[in-house]
Amino acid sequence: MTDKLNKTFKLHAVKAARLDKEEKKSNKNYFYITMASVKYNAKEKLSVVYEDHVYTGGAHGMDATKSYNYDLRTGKELKLSEYVKDDTQMEKVEKSISNSLLAMYNAGVSIFEENIYDFQLDQTSQFFLYDKGIVIRFHPYEVAPYAKGFVDIKVPYSKFNQ
């Protein structure tokens, strides 16, 4: 199982290195970088998140993220659908996210007001685990300005598993 996980992580890193080489061929000032971080490693579950940044000119680069969530007992990759199982639970997750975004907005955090209740969330959305639930990750510009970076919203299991 360790070999399987390491292969997945290596593939992500090798792809980033290849893309960086391609960008530099195009323009010596262009680049593609990736950084990995372990967000959760407990209760036989693992969440590793890669943050990718590409710069191809302009005011700033563009960011992307990819989360890898695994059950360490089986080696199975965990999808959001294993935590948010149906439309009712998805509605509860959306409500919890909206409440968090509204609280951030009211506290003066740069959140797009129009996206507090209107954001993209589906079973392909990026997420990772934390000790009490899941964290939904929004890319720059999805719910906040680029300068805010990734916006991570914690959604405790208690908010949608009732």
Side-chain angles (χ1 to χ4, degrees):
M1 177 178 12
T2 301
D3 289 342
K4 175 187 171 187
L5 298 180
N6 286 336
K7 182 179 179 182
T8 298
F9 302 145
K10 182 179 178 181
L11 285 173
H12 191 107
V14 167
K15 179 182 174 188
R18 180 180 47 77
L19 290 170
D20 183 56
K21 189 175 183 178
E22 289 173 12
E23 293 302 338
K24 285 183 178 7
K25 275 185 195 176
S26 188
N27 182 310
K28 67 179 179 151
N29 295 316
Y30 293 177
F31 60 86
Y32 189 108
I33 59 174
T34 191
M35 281 187 345
S37 60
V38 175
K39 297 292 188 180
Y40 185 77
N41 187 4
K43 301 176 186 171
E44 298 181 318
K45 304 281 191 288
L46 175 69
S47 289
V48 175
V49 176
Y50 278 83
E51 294 179 3
D52 299 335
H53 181 79
V54 61
Y55 179 76
T56 57
H60 58 73
M62 290 303 298
D63 298 310
T65 190
K66 171 67 177 144
S67 54
Y68 299 94
N69 302 289
Y70 289 98
D71 181 324
L72 296 176
R73 288 173 294 158
T74 64
K76 180 181 176 188
E77 186 169 4
L78 301 169
K79 302 295 184 184
L80 187 57
S81 60
E82 293 173 67
Y83 293 93
V84 183
K85 295 179 169 75
D86 56 36
D87 290 342
T88 300
Q89 284 187 328
M90 185 63 84
E91 288 172 14
K92 290 177 180 181
V93 169
E94 289 170 348
K95 181 178 180 180
S96 181
I97 291 170
S98 290
N99 289 341
S100 293
L101 291 172
L102 180 60
M104 293 168 72
Y105 179 81
N106 288 337
V109 176
S110 295
I111 298 294
F112 297 142
E113 184 177 11
E114 64 272 14
N115 292 112
I116 291 172
Y117 299 101
D118 184 20
F119 49 83
Q120 179 68 34
L121 183 67
D122 59 33
Q123 293 296 350
T124 64
S125 295
Q126 295 300 305
F127 81 102
F128 55 91
L129 303 173
Y130 81 106
D131 59 336
K132 295 180 182 167
I134 59 174
V135 178
I136 300 295
R137 172 163 274 192
F138 292 99
H139 287 85
Y141 293 122
E142 281 190 286
V143 296
Y146 177 84
K148 181 77 176 108
F150 295 108
V151 176
D152 294 338
I153 304 293
K154 288 183 175 181
V155 182
Y157 295 127
S158 62
K159 296 286 185 184
F160 62 95
N161 277 337
Q162 300 172 348

